[in-house]
């Protein structure tokens, strides 16, 4: 029995496996919803899925004609999607607690992967869905950006931001808070100077959640779509930008370092040559 929880702990569930499939999805919608380089989903038989609490905290956003994305209204963590027709529960793996026995993953939608993220493992890769899914991707509008400016937006597009100047650093963070907050294998955050950042629209619909026990750790998301957006940290003078929300590929943003690798998910292997810090 595996348990799952959102970052704030309100949305909780248990899954009586076995998990039948794991996918790392690099599509632009997953990147924006999670704010990460890619999302990881594990599916299990619907029969073994049970809500333990917080189902009333879940907000659903219709991201396409076929699809809905669910998230916790308090902390923005992605919630499982239950598909009755296929008899499966699709769980964001970053929210599964403890060590979890997941089947080997496949990369899907690598055709729309983030330009700043390189896949270095030897897992199978698919341009879109694997053929046996019998499904097609959804065309997404190009987001317009201004030359010379770093820009990003949430999944629904109602929140957008611009940054002048270049990133101070870029971290793949494997800590348990980042994994739960991004509902992903790890967060990828770009850090910029606070004065270089501004929201260009939708700031009023940005929700923030700070982990009560943490000194600084907090997340920000669009309360309409659940897409992760930058969080300003005035006390530290910088802004933490979830790299999955970026619409531009600024040359200065290159993956720099893995941090908190000591708390990495047991089901994710680091295969690149980047520096790793405990
Ligand atoms: Zn929550
Ligand atoms: Zn996806
Ligand atoms: Zn949004």
């Amino acid at each position: 029995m595996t348990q799952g929880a959102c970052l704030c702990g309100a949305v909780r569930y248990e899954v009586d496996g076995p998990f039948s499939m794991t996918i790392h999805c690099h599509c632009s919608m997953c990147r924006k919803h999670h704010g990460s380089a890619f999302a990881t989903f594990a599916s299990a038989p619907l029969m073994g899925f049970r809500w333990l609490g917080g189902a009333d905290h879940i907000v659903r956003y219709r991201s396409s004609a076929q699809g809905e994305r669910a998230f916790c209204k308090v902390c923005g963590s992605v919630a499982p999607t239950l598909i009755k027709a296929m008899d499966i529960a699709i769980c964001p793996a970053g929210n599964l607690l403890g060590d979890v026995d997941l089947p080997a993953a496949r990369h899907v939608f690598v055709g729309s992967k983030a330009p700043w993220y390189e896949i270095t493992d030897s897992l199978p890769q698919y341009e879109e869905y694997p053929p046996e899914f019998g499904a097609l991707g959804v065309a997404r509008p190009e987001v317009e950006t201004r030359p010379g400016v770093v820009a990003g937006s949430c999944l629904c597009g109602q929140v957008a931001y611009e940054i002048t100047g270049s990133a101070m650093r870029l971290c793949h963070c494997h800590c348990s808070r980042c994994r739960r907050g991004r509902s992903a294998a790890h967060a990828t955050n770009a850090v910029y100077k606070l004065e270089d950042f501004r929201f260009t629209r939708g700031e009023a619909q940005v929700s923030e959640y700070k982990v009560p026990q943490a000194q600084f750790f907090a997340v920000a998301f669009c309360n309409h779509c659940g897409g992760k957006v930058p969080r300003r940290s005035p006390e530290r003078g910088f802004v933490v930008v979830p790299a999955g929300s970026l619409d531009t590929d600024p040359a200065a943003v290159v993956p720099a370092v893995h941090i908190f690798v000591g708390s990495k998910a047991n089901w994710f292997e680091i295969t690149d040559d980047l520096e790793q810090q405990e």
Side-chain angles (χ1 to χ4, degrees):
M1 192 72 84
T2 301
Q3 294 208 348
C6 66
L7 180 63
C8 78
V11 177
R12 291 178 301 115
Y13 40 92
E14 64 184 14
V15 191
D16 186 8
F19 288 98
S20 53
M21 186 177 61
T22 311
I23 57 167
H24 296 313
C25 186
H26 297 259
C27 83
S28 64
M29 289 196 281
C30 281
R31 288 191 279 115
K32 285 190 176 292
H33 203 225
H34 295 251
S36 54
F38 55 88
T40 304
F41 296 104
S43 41
L46 187 56
M47 220 179 90
F49 181 92
R50 195 160 69 92
W51 294 109
L52 299 176
D56 58 337
H57 276 55
I58 295 173
V59 175
R60 290 187 169 78
Y61 168 68
R62 180 153 287 282
S63 51
S64 70
Q66 301 95 307
E68 254 187 4
R69 290 174 182 264
F71 60 98
C72 171
K73 66 180 179 187
V74 175
C75 68
S77 286
V78 175
T81 299
L82 310 182
I83 305 184
K84 288 205 178 76
M86 294 167 72
D87 196 30
I88 51 169
I90 301 176
C91 303
N95 293 97
L96 299 175
L97 308 178
D99 281 358
V100 189
D101 189 15
L102 297 184
R106 293 181 284 176
H107 293 278
V108 305
F109 282 92
V110 297
S112 30
K113 121 183 141 41
W116 45 264
Y117 185 79
E118 194 190 343
I119 300 170
T120 52
D121 60 38
S122 52
L123 299 169
Q125 299 185 20
Y126 299 85
E127 277 296 292
E128 293 198 350
Y129 286 117
E132 73 269 23
F133 280 36
L136 294 171
V138 178
R140 297 263 304 154
E142 281 291 321
V143 179
E144 276 188 40
T145 52
R146 298 196 294 136
V149 176
V150 176
S153 56
C154 68
L155 177 58
C156 74
Q158 291 177 14
V159 179
Y161 61 86
E162 286 186 350
I163 304 162
T164 52
S166 49
M168 294 152 67
R169 59 192 157 93
L170 192 72
C171 298
H172 297 306
C173 184
H174 298 261
C175 83
S176 62
R177 285 170 180 158
C178 273
R179 288 191 279 116
R180 278 170 76 169
R182 301 276 187 253
S183 304
H186 56 76
T188 302
N189 293 324
V191 177
Y192 291 86
K193 283 190 191 126
L194 189 61
E195 65 263 29
D196 291 344
F197 174 87
R198 69 184 183 103
F199 281 109
T200 51
R201 59 176 186 266
E203 186 176 358
Q205 69 187 60
V206 173
S207 291
E208 288 198 5
Y209 172 74
K210 182 186 164 294
V211 173
Q213 305 88 328
Q215 189 181 4
F216 295 117
F217 192 93
V219 289
F221 57 98
C222 166
N223 60 30
H224 179 64
C225 68
K228 306 303 174 284
V229 297
R231 198 192 74 88
R232 282 181 284 213
S233 188
E235 61 279 8
R236 293 182 288 177
F238 58 69
V239 59
V240 178
V241 176
S245 68
L246 289 165
D247 293 316
T248 52
D249 175 24
V253 174
V254 284
V257 60
H258 290 277
I259 61 172
F260 284 95
V261 296
S263 5
K264 181 180 81 53
N266 75 293
W267 44 265
F268 181 77
E269 198 187 338
I270 299 171
T271 51
D272 60 36
D273 298 327
L274 299 173
E275 185 191 337
Q276 299 186 20
Q277 293 170 2
E278 215 32 41

